[in-house]
Amino acid sequence: MKFGIFYELSVPRPFSRANERLTYHNALEQCRVADELGFDHVWAVEHHFLEEYSHCPAPEVFLTAVAAQTQRIRVGHGAVVCVPEMNNPIRVAERAAALDIISNGRLELGTARSSTWTELGGFCADPDDTKKTWDEFCRVIPQMWTDDDFGWEGARFEMPARNVIPKPFQEPHPPMWVTVTTPGTELDAAERGLGCLGVSAAPFAEQERRTTEYYRRVANCDPVGSFVNDQVHTLNFLYCHEDYRQAAALGLPMVGAFSMSNAHLYFTREAYPTRAYQTLGNAGAALRSRGTPNGSAPVDDPSVAKGLPEGVGIGDPDHLVRTIRKWEDVGVTGINFLLNAMEMIPQEQVLDSLRLFATEVIPQFQTPDERAARVQAPTSVPDVSATGAPAPSTMPAGASR
Amino acid sequence: MISGTASVDELAAGAPEIAAFGTESVRLGGVTGLSLVAELRRPAREAVLPPGLHPIVPPAMSLLAWDVSESPWGAFSAAFVRVVCRSGARARTFCVGAAASTHDAVAGLRSQFGFPAHQAEISLRRHYDEVDLRVSAEDDDGRSHVGGEGGSAGRNGRGNGLMLALSALDPDPLSVGDLQHVGSMNLAHTPLGLRLVQVETHHEPSRVERLAARIDAFDAGAWGQPLLDPYWAVSCSVSLEDVEIPAIRFVCDPALPAAEGTERVQ
């Protein structure tokens, strides 16, 4: 089981430049601590215009700072929105390769297509096309990374042959993922040999169904890259405290506020009828899990808050160990945690939660070798800050391939 | 999370009255429905909603029009101007103005479901590759009171009774499941007091098409909310369908968040 931290960079109202700066710098401090504590990944999303929910339109900048301030933790650029109005695939390949070099081979690249009208409409992107452009991006980016003379004539992207440089430090290239919001996207991931980066809450049974089908299909996939990344990670919240009640008192309001801010996004399906978006996205998934066939929680009752996801990572260490075991049992290989929302939890308590989780929970899911590796400084990453020494020739510890 | 800032007292001034909550649904048969979403300018975001509802980003308007062949109120046409919002975590719209073509439909929409409907001339015409919608006030002074005070803003329609004109071109077939319908929150005086009445329509479409729409005239004041300026058309769809309007199940205090102010009617 891998453990990561995940950033939307949600900012409290009233918006101010100081609040945005505080959110970014608190996150960077959390990344440094998580690196020291042995967390495996830090992910940062790409979102545009999503006030309050996510002020993270340039994750590559945030992650470059993370890479420069950490030594071990892998940096998840996830996910790049694979819509040409937002990102040119050449630029995605170039930026990602540069980040892989800066991080000494610690990059993971997530891909996505955006689920809100707020974002797609803001860039005048056609929702009908996003699945198609995502598919094409996924196919060309790994070729740009590995081919010295790459050209492409596709349905929605073309370029004459060029050598897209630099090449990533990892060989043959960084692991690739796709964010899974809409049910069924896990099948798209499997068929292309991409890791499944869950970003919406699904109950255990639903996750097991999706995971089982993912593993069945990925075993016979035709990978878009040079290798298959067959990991399944899910998104969760984390607030860990010795006292379960204190954990719930501080953690659950954070979950509720973040979920409510998600429900207030303007999802594409609501604004623009299209066969390309069959669900509302995150909100739709959570509402379905809350509405029940027997009507005990009517889906049309406006007083019913968005349901608390099953298996949420709020509680004392024993509770979290039991919860994570259930995720492990349904085939999940990694969990990425949101640590805060709108800075509701004071920074010191976020850091205490991280430390307690790393001390009491993570070791329960590690082999003796992993535990030993966690307490050793990574030997493959030199200190280049003073010497300007060249990049190391071996992969850093914690690489997930 | 942001909430509406409109004065409930001011919104209540023109609100319909529901003397008693009905228990029967109303079924509309042979409906040609038009649905248009347009983005609004930012000043309209919080200012047009009561505190119990939450705006979305960017602010948006949902226009709904029906040409109905069969109903308990006879054949009629109707149009609804609604602001896209959230009630609690739920996707909803707040109906700021409505029009219907017959007295019976106006009475039914107001007294059973709290739509702020007034009588108007409505033409929803479907051609081979184009759909036109026009809504005009029926009185001669060009100051319709559909949804509230007379018009003081808008474009093109002011002063001639034209409240709304739009045309939509180039229909593109979609699957019937591709169209998302969002319920209305209608402010009404009810037996429980002034409440947002939640009206969720059920749609059984047999044909759905998406078109490219152009709004030629929109008199915001005539629809009861001068701040509305639908400047950016997002999408337009036309459907052939049957529509059921179920009896009201939930109402909400317009001054309170849904989690605190919701009451179950039946």
Side-chain angles (χ1 to χ4, degrees):
Chain A
M1 179 66 79
K2 301 290 184 186
F3 296 103
I5 54 179
F6 193 96
Y7 288 100
E8 302 276 1
L9 296 179
S10 56
V11 171
R13 291 179 186 276
F15 298 143
S16 68
R17 297 178 190 209
N19 274 345
E20 287 182 329
R21 180 185 179 282
L22 178 72
T23 301
Y24 269 73
H25 284 270
N26 279 349
L28 285 173
E29 183 181 26
Q30 292 157 17
C31 292
R32 292 193 297 271
V33 171
D35 182 48
E36 294 166 3
L37 292 171
F39 279 78
D40 299 291
H41 298 96
V42 48
W43 288 92
V45 300
E46 178 187 338
H47 280 311
H48 304 271
F49 318 123
L50 301 186
E51 294 180 15
E52 196 170 18
Y53 181 77
S54 175
H55 291 221
C56 190
E60 68 277 12
V61 176
F62 174 78
L63 291 168
T64 301
V66 171
Q69 297 177 20
T70 59
Q71 290 195 311
R72 178 200 305 266
I73 199 165
R74 293 184 65 79
V75 288
H77 189 356
V80 173
V81 182
C82 296
V83 170
E85 289 81 357
M86 298 188 196
N87 290 299
N88 182 297
I90 303 171
R91 294 285 291 126
V92 173
E94 292 170 338
R95 289 195 308 252
L99 182 51
D100 195 45
I101 293 169
I102 293 291
S103 66
N104 293 309
R106 288 185 281 153
L107 179 71
E108 310 265 335
L109 185 75
T111 60
R113 62 175 181 135
S114 183
S115 62
T116 71
W117 173 255
T118 311
E119 294 168 280
L120 293 175
F123 280 91
C124 296
D126 184 347
D128 288 345
D129 282 347
T130 58
K131 197 81 166 188
K132 302 168 193 169
T133 58
W134 165 78
D135 180 67
E136 203 158 344
F137 274 47
C138 291
R139 295 177 190 283
V140 301
I141 289 169
Q143 294 184 55
M144 290 176 183
W145 281 336
T146 54
D147 192 339
D148 291 341
D149 190 30
F150 174 76
W152 185 264
E153 291 181 59
R156 281 160 182 81
F157 170 71
E158 60 183 5
M159 66 176 290
R162 296 287 188 278
N163 185 7
V164 179
I165 52 172
K167 302 303 182 193
F169 177 63
Q170 292 176 88
E171 294 199 31
H173 58 72
M176 291 181 66
W177 303 73
V178 56
T179 58
V180 177
T181 303
T182 305
T185 302
E186 71 276 6
L187 307 183
D188 295 327
E191 287 159 3
R192 291 160 179 78
L194 300 170
C196 199
L197 186 65
V199 293
S200 66
F204 289 122
E206 171 67 8
Q207 184 65 51
E208 183 169 30
R209 186 193 65 75
R210 293 186 198 178
T211 305
T212 301
E213 187 59 18
Y214 172 82
Y215 287 128
R216 191 182 73 79
R217 294 200 184 206
V218 79
N220 300 301
C221 73
D222 181 13
V224 294
S226 302
F227 60 93
V228 175
N229 177 20
D230 61 353
Q231 300 176 80
V232 175
H233 287 195
T234 62
L235 185 64
N236 208 317
F237 299 88
L238 177 63
Y239 188 67
C240 183
H241 193 281
E242 293 90 344
D243 181 353
Y244 182 92
R245 285 171 299 183
Q246 285 198 47
L250 207 53
L252 293 183
M254 180 258 292
V255 176
F258 184 83
S259 300
M260 188 65 90
S261 72
N262 176 276
H264 287 200
L265 301 179
Y266 196 25
F267 289 96
T268 299
R269 182 173 170 78
E270 191 182 342
Y272 192 89
T274 170
R275 60 191 64 164
Y277 287 85
Q278 288 293 312
T279 73
L280 286 176
N282 293 12
L287 291 174
R288 270 197 311 280
S289 70
R290 180 73 185 188
T292 57
N294 63 16
S296 60
V299 293
D300 58 346
D301 182 347
S303 69
V304 176
K306 194 172 173 185
L308 186 64
E310 202 174 34
V312 71
I314 306 291
D316 58 48
D318 288 343
H319 174 80
L320 295 184
V321 169
R322 289 195 300 273
T323 300
I324 293 167
R325 290 268 180 244
K326 291 181 184 174
W327 288 117
E328 202 172 40
D329 289 345
V330 298
V332 169
T333 60
I335 302 178
N336 298 306
F337 293 108
L338 289 159
L339 305 178
N340 209 347
M342 285 75 84
E343 300 300 304
M344 291 176 68
I345 302 178
Q347 174 76 343
E348 274 312 309
Q349 288 169 267
V350 172
L351 299 179
D352 288 345
S353 164
L354 269 179
R355 292 184 182 109
L356 182 63
F357 185 83
T359 305
E360 302 292 332
V361 179
I362 290 179
Q364 305 296 319
F365 297 90
Q366 289 178 317
T367 64
D369 287 348
E370 287 171 330
R371 276 196 290 273
R374 185 173 143 247
V375 297
Q376 294 172 357
T379 56
S380 59
V381 181
D383 179 4
V384 297
S385 57
T387 64
S393 59
T394 56
M395 292 284 288
S400 60
R401 278 191 282 128
Chain B
M1 184 170 67
I2 46 178
S3 301
T5 57
S7 160
V8 172
D9 290 341
E10 290 179 16
L11 291 173
E17 179 174 359
I18 298 176
F21 292 113
T23 57
E24 302 291 325
S25 62
V26 169
R27 188 161 186 85
L28 313 177
V31 178
T32 298
L34 179 145
S35 177
L36 175 132
V37 171
E39 292 192 18
L40 301 169
R41 295 192 192 277
R42 200 172 179 99
R45 192 174 70 174
E46 294 102 309
V48 300
L49 296 173
L53 299 175
H54 311 285
I56 53 133
V57 178
M61 187 183 92
S62 165
L63 172 79
L64 188 64
W66 290 334
D67 182 61
V68 180
S69 300
E70 302 168 11
S71 85
W73 311 316
F76 69 95
S77 297
F80 309 89
V81 169
R82 313 177 304 168
V83 175
V84 181
C85 64
R86 297 291 181 264
S87 175
R90 264 63 184 178
R92 296 287 181 263
T93 58
F94 176 59
C95 190
V96 299
S101 60
T102 70
H103 177 270
D104 287 350
V106 168
L109 289 167
R110 290 182 68 92
S111 63
Q112 289 181 251
F113 300 104
F115 286 104
H118 291 258
Q119 196 157 335
E121 184 178 329
I122 300 170
S123 168
L124 175 58
R125 290 190 302 179
R126 180 193 173 89
H127 311 287
Y128 173 68
D129 62 348
E130 181 177 358
V131 176
D132 295 320
L133 173 66
R134 290 176 68 88
V135 181
S136 304
E138 285 196 328
D139 49 355
D140 295 330
D141 62 5
R143 283 288 193 268
S144 166
H145 291 270
V146 172
E149 294 302 309
S152 58
R155 56 177 183 264
N156 300 337
R158 242 187 317 184
N160 59 6
L162 182 61
M163 299 162 60
L164 170 69
L166 70 82
S167 56
L169 298 169
D170 299 330
D172 185 16
L174 294 176
S175 301
V176 295
D178 292 336
L179 189 57
Q180 173 86 24
H181 292 282
V182 179
S184 287
M185 304 296 283
N186 302 335
L187 190 66
H189 299 281
T190 77
L192 296 170
L194 185 69
R195 292 291 184 272
L196 289 164
V197 174
Q198 180 172 294
V199 178
E200 288 214 89
T201 49
H202 297 164
H203 297 253
E204 298 168 16
S206 58
R207 176 171 168 175
V208 175
E209 294 163 332
R210 192 180 64 207
L211 306 92
R214 187 185 67 218
I215 301 172
D216 297 317
F218 183 78
D219 186 345
W223 289 98
Q225 182 42 268
L227 285 175
L228 298 186
D229 180 10
Y231 76 102
W232 189 277
V234 171
S235 68
C236 180
S237 62
V238 172
S239 55
L240 300 179
E241 59 190 6
D242 291 336
V243 179
E244 181 190 11
I245 314 177
I248 293 162
R249 299 178 65 206
F250 297 99
V251 297
C252 301
D253 186 324
L256 296 175
E260 301 170 30
T262 298
E263 297 160 271
R264 188 165 187 153
V265 173
Q266 52 189 297

